Amino acid sequence: MQLQFVGCGDAFGSGGRSNTCFHVTGGAVNFLIDCGASSLPALKRCGIVRNEIELILITHFHGDHFAGLPFFLLDAQFCRRSQPLIIAGPRGIETKLKAAMEVMFEHSSRTQQRFELSVVELAPEETRAFGNVTVTPYPVVHGESGGPFLAYRIEAEGRVISYSADTEWTETLIPAAHDADLFIAEAYYYDKIVKNHLSLKTLEVHLGAINAKRLILTHMSDDMLGRLDKLPYFAARDGMIVEL
Ligand SMILES: [Zn+2]
Ligand SMILES: [Zn+2]
């Protein structure tokens, strides 16, 4: 199994990076984690065959994690997608998706897709299986608007991938990422403490309790990107592939 960072940027394109979108593929799985506004061109740059993506997991309804869906769906329609697609995310996802589609491409939410499309709500700490992918969402803390906010613990092909989503430090990240083969964690700032986002210094305190086998930092501001050379951690880059 492998995970490609199609996009690992923040909402503001810091470092010229694309919005959040990770692509996981293996012998029997093919899914995306988040689909931010710039994800369709980023997927095309990586040469990813969109027709084979079976599932898109959405962590929350901020544009840099979710606003790529209208483009993805429209492109799928025009490219005559044939494979069924499941989009799963926090409570309210169906309404949010329709609203985003209407704002960006009027009437597009009323289009009958040529392919089977299911939109599924996920509840915190309720494990769901989608084919060979098992997903457990955990509630995280990321402000007042754009939620509910979910971190994901994802099991597939005998491996565990955890993604913090956007969040300030919250204890739910421990069960979400405990002993994971790969923990992808937001590290927005180095040591500045802000509401709604995680700084590396805060995360560091908890890494022992999380005990992930591998940590990769993502969703970094210019503050973090400017320090990467000197940090003893792996950090994501757009296009980077990790074997699992
Ligand atoms: Zn974000
Ligand atoms: Zn966000």
Side-chain angles (χ1 to χ4, degrees):
M1 195 163 64
Q2 69 171 41
L3 180 145
Q4 183 167 27
F5 290 90
V6 178
C8 62
D10 61 4
F12 312 109
S14 298
R17 295 176 174 216
S18 284
N19 297 148
T20 299
C21 182
F22 313 143
H23 183 220
V24 182
T25 47
V29 300
N30 194 324
F31 62 98
L32 294 183
I33 304 169
D34 275 342
C35 189
S38 55
S39 296
L40 182 61
L43 285 161
K44 291 188 175 182
R45 252 191 320 273
C46 292
I48 291 166
V49 181
R50 280 101 54 215
N51 194 46
E52 290 172 6
I53 295 168
E54 297 161 340
L55 168 69
I56 305 177
L57 293 170
I58 297 293
T59 59
H60 65 292
F61 303 123
H62 285 158
D64 58 316
H65 296 259
F66 156 76
L69 288 176
F71 301 104
F72 188 99
L73 291 173
L74 220 62
D75 175 70
Q77 188 77 351
F78 289 132
C79 292
R80 300 182 177 271
R81 181 187 174 101
S82 53
Q83 296 301 309
L85 176 67
I86 300 169
I87 297 173
R91 189 184 67 241
I93 187 164
E94 198 160 4
T95 312
K96 293 279 188 189
L97 179 56
K98 276 198 178 123
M101 292 186 74
E102 282 308 306
V103 165
M104 292 192 207
F105 301 100
E106 200 176 12
H107 306 320
S108 66
S109 73
R110 297 184 222 155
T111 306
Q112 183 58 48
Q113 318 290 343
R114 294 174 208 269
F115 54 94
E116 197 184 313
L117 174 66
S118 321
V119 181
V120 179
E121 284 191 358
L122 298 173
E125 292 172 58
E126 271 180 26
T127 301
R128 288 282 297 261
F130 299 99
N132 296 303
V133 184
T134 303
V135 181
T136 309
Y138 286 84
V140 290
V141 181
H142 186 46
E144 303 300 320
S145 60
F149 309 101
L150 299 176
Y152 285 119
R153 183 181 182 89
I154 301 162
E155 297 180 57
E157 306 198 349
R159 296 280 186 276
V160 173
I161 300 168
S162 297
Y163 172 42
S164 67
D166 287 358
T167 183
E168 59 189 60
W169 172 255
T170 170
E171 294 295 318
T172 53
L173 289 178
I174 296 177
H178 193 246
D179 289 341
D181 292 281
L182 172 61
F183 177 32
I184 303 168
E186 131 156 51
Y188 197 56
Y189 286 111
Y190 176 63
D191 55 2
K192 188 170 150 191
I193 308 294
V194 294
K195 273 178 77 70
N196 309 334
H197 286 285
L198 197 50
S199 74
L200 179 59
K201 283 287 159 196
T202 305
L203 175 65
E204 250 177 356
V205 174
H206 303 282
L207 289 177
I210 290 171
N211 197 39
K213 295 185 184 77
R214 199 163 178 184
L215 168 71
I216 299 184
L217 307 177
T218 189
H219 204 280
M220 293 167 283
S221 65
D222 285 329
D223 166 57
M224 269 295 290
L225 293 172
R227 299 172 192 259
L228 284 185
D229 294 351
K230 295 170 213 82
L231 294 177
Y233 297 102
F234 290 107
R237 289 187 320 275
D238 286 7
M240 184 171 102
I241 293 173
V242 178
E243 299 293 337
L244 286 157

